[in-house]
Amino acid sequence: MTSGQWKLPDLTGRTMVVTGASSGLGAVTARELAQAGARVVLAVRDVAKGERVAAGIRGKTEVRALDLADLASVRAFADSWTGKLDVLVNNAGIMAVPRGKTADGFEDHFGTNHLGPFALTNLLLPSITDRVVTVSSGLARIGTVRLDDLNWERRRYRPMRAYGASKLANLLFTLELQRRLAAAGSSVRALAAHPGVAATSLDQHLRGPLQAVTRFSYQFIAQREAEYGALPTLYAVAEDLPGNSYVGPTGRSGARPSLERRRKADSDTDLAKQLWDVSARLTGVNRHE
């Protein structure tokens, strides 16, 4: 942390859900939001682990079960929600895992990082009053969303490429969600953020030279710490930003987040619409027509 770090404003009276809040960036995000006065629901796969994290947070917290790799769990979480929800933070995700499938038969990255948040957001939209913040990654730049092979059945499976594709899907989801919200005249906004390089348990599946290079780089990048990696998400949650904003760390320290310029691939409106339609069909969820 540095003395020039951007700081959260007072969030008293606001209710927020942070997915994947039992470790890493999610735990830091939940902690900072609660300490700024928000009521924070930690939506986690491992409730016991989430309870341990919540016990160390000053402020109003609640822990609820949510497994984004299981659409039944997503529906159960959404069905149990009552009252308003100011902000949904789609933070949970997996990175570079070996080939596998979710409970519903989707490739793990695509199912967990994109379809789960897609379904959760749509199911909770009637309750959301302010914004949806989805955590992407700088590695979205290595991803390609192939609508004819979203589950990596026709091409060689490459864990990092699959991760990058799911993170690109996050940006396309944000793009199309914001378009639909604006078209409906809604004041709710969709935003995205990425942490830069942050040392969290997400890198546990990296192997070989990539693992060595990634972990070696941590010592030279200040935002490697989860506290810095969470700042862009917190900025996207709290600042008055336009819909479809994409927030990332600034400079070596990452202490002052700023808006990122979207690449051409991130701004493909046709692909975003097609991905939305496919995602709605696969999940059976499309509350925002």
Side-chain angles (χ1 to χ4, degrees), residues 191-212:
L191 304 95
H194 80 88
V197 179
T200 70
S201 59
L202 265 185
D203 69 6
Q204 64 184 303
H205 295 287
L206 298 181
R207 295 291 182 269
L210 183 58
Q211 181 189 61

Side-chain angles (χ1 to χ4, degrees), residues 264-286:
K264 184 178 180 180
D266 307 341
S267 305
D268 188 332
T269 55
D270 288 338
L271 181 58
K273 292 175 185 177
Q274 293 176 66
L275 178 62
W276 183 285
D277 290 341
V278 171
S279 301
R281 176 172 56 81
L282 292 176
T283 60
V285 176
N286 191 8

Side-chain angles (χ1 to χ4, degrees), residues 15-17 81 83-88 124 127-130:
T15 297
M16 306 186 181
V17 167
W81 188 267
K84 75 169 186 174
L85 171 58
D86 293 287
V87 182
L88 168 63
L124 289 176
S127 300
I128 297 174
T129 62
D130 184 2

Side-chain angles (χ1 to χ4, degrees), residues 225-240:
E225 298 174 1
E227 281 76 7
Y228 284 102
L231 281 174
T233 301
L234 295 169
Y235 191 87
V237 166
E239 286 294 305
D240 186 13

Side-chain angles (χ1 to χ4, degrees), residues 4 101 116 136 138 168 170 240 244-245 255 260 277 280-281 284:
K101 292 185 177 182
S136 182
L168 174 56
N170 291 156
D240 186 13
N244 199 38
S245 292
E260 298 260 327
D277 290 341
R281 176 172 56 81

